[in-house]
Amino acid sequence: MLLEHLYCYLFGAVLLALPTFGCGPHPGNAAPFDIPSLITANNLARPNSSTAPHKKIALDNVRVFDGTCILPPSTVVIDGPLIGSDIMGAEHIDGKGGILLPGLIDAHCHPTNITHMQELAKWGVTSGFVMACFSQELCSSLSNHTALPSVLRSSVPASAPGSVHGNITIGATRDISLLINGTAAVPSWINSQLAGQDPDYFKFIAEIPGLDQATLDLLVKDAHQYGKKGVMHAATLEAYTQAILSRTDHIHHAPLDHGISSALVKTMLQQGQISTPTLTMMRATALKLGNTSGRNFTAALSTTSLLHKAGVPILTGTDANTQSGVPATVPFGTSLHDELENLVEAGMSNIEALLAATVKPARAFGLWDRGTILAGMRADLVLVGGDPLQDIKNTRDIRRVWIGGVQVGQ
Ligand SMILES: *[C@@H]1O[C@H](CO)[C@@H](O)[C@H](O)[C@H]1NC(C)=O
Ligand SMILES: *[C@@H]1O[C@H](CO)[C@@H](O)[C@H](O)[C@H]1NC(C)=O
Ligand SMILES: *[C@@H]1O[C@H](CO)[C@@H](O)[C@H](O)[C@H]1NC(C)=O
Ligand SMILES: *[C@@H]1O[C@H](CO)[C@@H](O)[C@H](O)[C@H]1NC(C)=O
Ligand SMILES: *[C@@H]1O[C@H](CO)[C@@H](O)[C@H](O)[C@H]1NC(C)=O
Ligand SMILES: *[C@@H]1O[C@H](CO)[C@@H](O)[C@H](O)[C@H]1NC(C)=O
Ligand SMILES: *[C@@H]1O[C@H](CO)[C@@H](O)[C@H](O)[C@H]1NC(C)=O
Ligand SMILES: [Zn+2]
């Protein structure tokens, strides 16, 4: 099976041909994508011993970003997988006055193999929300690897028969039972997703034509009934409006056709909804498909500014993917740093951008063990040379990364 189209299409025009099961390599494509092979390869890369040796490290002379400022130089203890407090018996590492950030979180990405995960890790991304798990086995094969990011798994993206995303789901899975034709299909769809490999959160697609308002509303309601968050894709004003009305917890992307009205911003704020604008993808799409009316990056940027000014929480998500034929490919890892710059361009302060990549996504998804540098939290840490409060580009100046207390690349 080919995975050529397993990313978020933002607009309908792109899907010209569906990938098919079992066909040979596409012209110019040396190796076809194959889910079972990916799963096998990813699982083989998992260390055979589940118990990594317990190490204790005293990271001396680091300036901790505590969420509001950069603290004077101090020592941070890494005690096994967690941040510790007792320095006794630790091996010392000189942090050389570098700045220590909580591990970065990409709230929207599409890794499929270990190379993608290594790129994320190298660039300080210690947790990644995989936003389209067509195969839970594939998403799980990326989980629990030493010194690679934590993977938070979505459901199959909920979509309608005949829609752009519905066609993507069929192309990837050949399983029409994964599509939703009206409200009557919602309860069994939700139940089959939960009964499979229980996703960490649900992914829903708002698009025109696509699922109608009543179906989107019911999906969100049912997800909540089972204690799961709803994340909704919406990349045009009309779809974005549906997403707001559905009361989904998270709305991903930002409309490229028009900015949203202040009335909609207010509704989103009042309903406690959270935005992950994926400006890196919106910019790349506008540049590739033409930055004109209908594909207007400035509109996406201005929506993000309005949401932020109104107090709607904003998270960093990149839509990183390397599939061929996409409206835009977005690299893994470096794109998180692009998104930080985009959020600053949208009017967020450097501190606010850093919070959007650390504590805010952790809290928004109930990950209470990460997002800040405190004893007892996961030792997901990024040591950078320059001060990102002075210049957000300094997050790229990465010296060392730890994931669950294990240094990346060692
Ligand atoms: C785990 O063991 C298998 C079989 O012995 C081996 O092929 C594989 O390379 C090992 N994996 C790692 C990450 O060491
Ligand atoms: C992962 O996929 C990329 C293309 O996106 C490819 O360049 C890389 O070699 C693959 N890595 C592995 C381990 O298969
Ligand atoms: C990952 O580890 C957690 C905690 O040990 C475990 O519950 C989960 O089943 C593991 N998942 C995979 C895919 O190995
Ligand atoms: C989805 O695929 C069907 C069957 O090939 C086609 O009729 C339909 O136009 C496609 N939908 C979109 C939005 O491209
Ligand atoms: C969706 O349901 C309607 C009736 O509610 C039916 O007419 C239509 O054929 C169904 N479409 C698909 C693709 O199953
Ligand atoms: C898109 O076009 C607008 C003018 O319409 C321009 O201000 C903006 O910089 C352009 N954005 C990109 C990403 O090229
Ligand atoms: C793009 O969006 C901006 C902000 O909403 C708007 O001022 C501008 O007129 C739009 N450009 C086009 C070509 O639609
Ligand atoms: Zn996506």
Side-chain angles (χ1 to χ4, degrees):
M1 154 161 51
L2 296 175
L3 268 187
E4 238 96 20
H5 300 279
L6 290 199
Y7 56 86
C8 296
Y9 280 102
L10 298 171
F11 287 94
V14 191
L15 191 71
L16 300 175
L18 279 177
T20 49
F21 260 121
C23 66
H26 278 187
N29 229 8
F33 248 5
D34 172 341
I35 288 182
S37 310
L38 284 168
I39 293 171
T40 304
N42 294 342
N43 280 327
L44 271 179
R46 203 185 298 283
N48 288 319
S49 160
S50 58
T51 47
H54 189 111
K55 278 178 91 174
K56 198 189 234 190
I57 296 157
L59 189 50
D60 297 319
N61 191 18
V62 290
R63 295 182 291 151
V64 169
F65 172 62
D66 75 346
T68 53
C69 61
I70 306 277
L71 301 176
S74 66
T75 294
V76 169
V77 179
I78 298 174
D79 194 349
L82 303 179
I83 297 170
S85 48
D86 171 16
I87 202 165
M88 186 86 83
E91 169 200 333
H92 288 260
I93 290 178
D94 183 3
K96 299 180 178 162
I99 286 168
L100 195 63
L101 304 172
L104 303 174
I105 299 176
D106 190 337
H108 188 137
C109 56
H110 300 280
T112 56
N113 73 22
I114 297 296
T115 309
H116 303 154
M117 298 289 283
Q118 288 166 336
E119 284 297 304
L120 289 168
K122 188 172 106 186
W123 287 99
V125 177
T126 58
S127 301
F129 286 78
V130 179
M131 272 296 148
C133 287
F134 291 101
S135 158
Q136 288 296 344
E137 288 78 5
L138 178 53
C139 283
S140 294
S141 72
L142 297 170
S143 299
N144 292 0
H145 288 268
T146 305
L148 291 182
S150 304
V151 165
L152 290 308
R153 297 166 304 132
S154 77
S155 63
V156 166
S159 60
S163 65
V164 170
H165 283 81
N167 284 357
I168 293 169
T169 295
I170 295 305
T173 66
R174 294 286 143 190
D175 183 355
I176 58 163
S177 77
L178 294 174
L179 303 180
I180 299 174
N181 186 17
T183 50
V186 168
S188 63
W189 186 87
I190 292 270
N191 282 327
S192 72
Q193 291 292 308
L194 291 169
Q197 288 179 46
D198 199 15
D200 295 314
Y201 50 91
F202 277 95
K203 174 88 182 287
F204 307 129
I205 306 292
E207 61 185 335
I208 319 288
L211 299 170
D212 62 16
Q213 188 69 52
T215 304
L216 293 170
D217 295 355
L218 188 59
L219 283 165
V220 171
K221 191 163 162 265
D222 276 13
H224 287 168
Q225 206 158 29
Y226 291 101
K228 303 280 183 185
K229 303 277 186 199
V231 178
M232 201 172 287
H233 161 111
T236 62
L237 179 58
E238 213 178 333
Y240 211 84
T241 306
Q242 288 190 318
I244 292 172
L245 294 176
S246 77
R247 295 178 172 260
T248 188
D249 304 273
H250 294 261
I251 308 181
H252 279 214
H253 310 301
L256 262 184
D257 52 351
H258 301 287
I260 76 171
S261 68
S262 51
L264 282 177
V265 170
K266 201 170 154 202
T267 307
M268 212 170 146
L269 179 69
Q270 283 168 346
Q271 295 183 163
Q273 291 171 305
I274 297 171
S275 158
T276 301
T278 68
L279 290 172
T280 302
M281 178 50 114
M282 307 326 285
R283 186 195 293 274
T285 305
L287 285 178
K288 188 162 166 196
L289 300 181
N291 177 28
T292 56
S293 119
R295 306 262 163 80
N296 179 356
F297 176 67
T298 312
L301 197 61
S302 103
T303 290
T304 306
S305 301
L306 285 177
L307 291 173
H308 173 62
K309 276 196 205 114
V312 172
I314 310 279
L315 312 181
T316 50
T318 64
D319 215 351
N321 73 84
T322 57
Q323 314 304 326
S324 60
V326 294
T329 57
V330 169
F332 292 93
T334 52
S335 56
L336 197 283
H337 303 273
D338 295 337
E339 191 66 7
L340 287 169
E341 284 180 43
N342 286 330
L343 294 185
V344 169
E345 190 180 337
M348 290 171 72
S349 70
N350 295 11
I351 288 181
E352 287 164 341
L354 291 173
L355 299 180
T358 54
V359 70
K360 283 199 181 168
R363 295 292 174 274
F365 282 94
L367 302 173
W368 305 107
D369 61 347
R370 67 196 72 189
T372 53
I373 301 176
L374 287 173
M377 304 291 272
R378 264 178 75 88
D380 287 352
L381 298 164
V382 184
L383 183 65
V384 297
D387 182 350
L389 301 197
Q390 299 298 317
D391 182 349
I392 196 66
K393 285 195 175 71
N394 282 329
T395 58
R396 297 175 194 268
D397 182 13
I398 290 176
R399 303 296 160 89
R400 296 173 192 255
V401 177
W402 290 265
I403 299 181
V406 182
Q407 192 174 329
V408 170
Q410 290 266 298

